[in-house]
Amino acid sequence: MKADSGKRVVIVGTQWGDEGKGKVTDYFAARADVVVRYQGGNNAGHTIVFGGKKYALQTTPSGIFNPQIINVIANGVVVNPVALQGELERLESQGITDYNLRISNRAAVVMPWHSVLDGAYEEMKGGKLIGTTKKGIGPAYADKYNRIGIRMGDLLDPEYFAERLHNVLQVKNMELQMLGLPTFEFDAVFEQYRALGERFRPCICDTSVLLNKAIEEGKKILFEGAQGVMLCIDHGTFPYVTSSSPTAASVPVNTGIAPRYVDNVLGVCKAYCTRVGEGPFPTELHDELAHYIRERGHEYCTVTGRPRRVGWLDVVALRHAARVSGVNYLSLMLFDVLSGLEKVCICTAYELDGQVIDYVPSTITELERCKPVLEELPGWVEDTTTCRSVEEMPEAAQRYIARIEELTGAEVAVVSVGPDREQTILRKDFF
Ligand code: GDP
Ligand code: IMO
Ligand code: MG
């Protein structure tokens, strides 16, 4: 473990996304100079609540509300400039007009065929859908790695963009034709995306240079992840995952800084678990309990509106996420939701084919056969939304938090007791 307090903190989702990363990033942004989104795209939906207003961010970093903060969309993000423009217009209509946004010239562009292909590939899977957000994220990353992607910086050079677009369209239109889908005309795409390039020209730059300068100057930087480690392309429940790595290990390559500059990793986790989309979920609940938690936690996806699947806190998955991401502090979210339950459970191990295991199997077939080994703890009835310290909480609630620390070996530095910025308990100052 590194030193207690550091200037560069990575905020990582440790479950299947929607852990409350936006809320936590906004909370710590009050002390940050720079906030950086390092992967994913507008498949993310980060909700922030303060001053009686609610804001939904998708590609924009959660430091956008403070004009003193530089908000960076780094090279590892896939940017849909049409969606980003819409998102900024929505923010402006909510009174957020003064902000400082930078976009990496190396960030991949989500082009209009990507969402079409995302939907088409899902349909082709028959009953084995991933349940993607259909924002074109997978196809955009695939094109990047296949080296037929377009980057934000390309949009600023009309001659080069025209050449790239010609080549890319040749491949993509062939793919679309083979799938029996409408193709794209060069002129219309060229004009639209060239204009979008101009719209974002003042923001587009080499954000790696910007970040390294900020580090040299001793600035405080938050790296905001999207999704969660269990949706990681490498360490998640493949193939039911997203197409990037939300782990802290992906920050250096996705932002252009050296690994040694990451000081602390804050793992964000709900006091229980949720998942949207398909894929194994060992602690999933199906009964009235799931309904109770879903309604109290308003567990409906902000991007697609789908109800989120709900389950008990899975410490096997949490330890896995913490291990591969180097999590040294935890932020325990939606703690208020658990009030009113007779008992609360924590999954401490899995039972696989009659054997107790303490790791996440790599194959879906094995993970689907895993049954949770549950530890029961007494619940509490008292409302915790007005608590501003853990000591004010009922004893059973305090015991639940202490047990999570024992089982994970990570310190619970933050406890969140409501969606509002004010409903946050900071137990350990590390940033
Ligand atoms: P993210 O994708 O990780 O940023 O999380 P989302 O914003 O998609 O989902 C988290 C949801 O929980 C949002 O609606 C938040 O407003 C809400 N939320 C965050 N923290 C708390 C909390 O402590 N209690 C309650 N009740 N809601 C919370
Ligand atoms: P935030 O940042 C929750 C899920 C989708 C699907 C899978 C693949 O708000 O936590 P994709 O569109 O990425 O190809 O979908 O990943 N998913 C998320 N689930 N929160 C997210 O982001 C997610 N982003 C993607 O539901 O199961
Ligand atoms: Mg979300």
Side-chain angles (χ1 to χ4, degrees), residues 289 292-293 312 337-344 378-381:
L289 216 50
Y292 180 82
I293 295 174
W312 292 123
V337 173
L338 293 185
S339 290
L341 294 172
E342 214 167 284
K343 57 165 193 173
V344 282
W380 55 94
V381 286

Side-chain angles (χ1 to χ4, degrees), residues 17-23 45-49 54 270 296-298 302 308 333-337 416-419 423:
D18 300 331
E19 297 91 347
K21 299 173 293 293
K23 172 179 167 167
H46 294 187
T47 318
I48 288 140
V49 180
K54 187 166 159 175
K270 284 180 175 166
R296 278 184 64 85
H298 306 290
T302 42
R308 295 183 185 131
M333 311 301 292
L334 290 105
F335 195 79
D336 52 299
V337 173
S416 175
V417 290
Q423 293 173 301

Side-chain angles (χ1 to χ4, degrees), residues 27 63 168 184 222 240 284 306 327 353 379 387:
Y27 177 79
V168 167
F184 286 84
L222 284 177
Y240 298 98
E284 185 165 14
R306 292 178 288 180
V327 167
D353 304 335
C387 290

Side-chain angles (χ1 to χ4, degrees), residues 99-346:
Y99 52 79
N100 194 345
L101 180 69
R102 303 296 157 87
I103 306 168
S104 170
N105 47 14
R106 292 182 172 84
V109 184
V110 181
M111 297 300 286
W113 42 87
H114 290 137
S115 53
V116 176
L117 291 169
D118 198 350
Y121 293 143
E122 279 283 83
E123 268 170 40
M124 282 189 288
K125 290 185 191 112
K128 289 277 177 193
L129 296 183
I130 294 174
T132 76
T133 58
K134 300 211 177 122
K135 300 290 180 190
I137 305 302
Y141 275 116
D143 279 358
K144 167 177 167 168
Y145 288 101
N146 208 12
R147 292 148 297 177
I148 52 166
I150 288 167
R151 310 209 292 188
M152 286 302 287
D154 301 349
L155 306 181
L156 305 181
D157 178 346
E159 223 169 287
Y160 180 64
F161 177 42
E163 186 191 317
R164 287 287 298 159
L165 188 61
H166 266 301
N167 293 340
V168 167
L169 269 182
Q170 233 166 5
V171 179
K172 294 285 97 174
N173 277 340
M174 207 183 294
E175 190 178 347
L176 289 162
Q177 254 166 359
M178 281 191 314
L179 295 169
L181 294 165
T183 54
F184 286 84
E185 293 292 335
F186 173 88
D187 288 344
V189 178
F190 179 76
E191 272 320 311
Q192 187 187 5
Y193 283 78
R194 200 193 50 78
L196 284 162
E198 286 312 313
R199 153 75 176 87
F200 287 112
R201 184 182 284 277
C203 307
I204 299 172
C205 65
D206 188 330
T207 53
S208 163
V209 170
L210 183 157
L211 289 174
N212 280 282
K213 188 159 172 285
I215 291 169
E216 232 172 74
E217 290 167 356
K219 298 270 167 65
K220 293 176 82 170
I221 308 178
L222 284 177
F223 294 94
E224 176 183 11
Q227 290 84 51
V229 175
M230 297 312 287
L231 290 172
C232 171
I233 183 75
D234 279 276
H235 301 288
T237 54
F238 188 88
Y240 298 98
V241 292
T242 192
S243 299
S244 65
S245 176
T247 64
S250 88
V251 167
V253 72
N254 281 333
T255 66
I257 66 151
R260 69 174 180 276
Y261 293 134
V262 172
D263 295 317
N264 283 307
V265 181
L266 179 68
V268 188
C269 72
K270 284 180 175 166
Y272 48 95
C273 276
T274 63
R275 174 165 202 166
V276 255
E278 302 307 315
F281 184 8
T283 64
E284 185 165 14
L285 295 164
H286 295 283
D287 47 20
E288 267 174 40
L289 216 50
H291 179 75
Y292 180 82
I293 295 174
R294 184 177 300 115
E295 294 311 309
R296 278 184 64 85
H298 306 290
E299 294 295 359
Y300 294 87
C301 179
T302 42
V303 179
T304 58
R306 292 178 288 180
R308 295 183 185 131
R309 299 156 67 192
V310 171
W312 292 123
L313 182 67
D314 183 343
V315 165
V316 184
L318 185 53
R319 277 197 301 247
H320 170 89
R323 187 190 320 116
V324 302
S325 230
V327 167
N328 49 351
Y329 295 109
L330 284 176
S331 185
L332 194 58
M333 311 301 292
L334 290 105
F335 195 79
D336 52 299
V337 173
L338 293 185
S339 290
L341 294 172
E342 214 167 284
K343 57 165 193 173
V344 282
C345 293
I346 300 179

Side-chain angles (χ1 to χ4, degrees), residues 53-57 60 64-65 84-101 199-200 203:
K53 280 192 184 166
K54 187 166 159 175
Y55 305 88
L57 304 179
T60 312
I64 201 74
F65 307 101
L84 181 59
Q85 179 164 252
E87 186 175 332
L88 294 173
E89 279 167 7
R90 273 198 305 282
L91 279 173
E92 281 160 25
S93 74
Q94 287 185 283
I96 311 301
T97 49
D98 191 10
Y99 52 79
N100 194 345
L101 180 69
R199 153 75 176 87
F200 287 112
C203 307

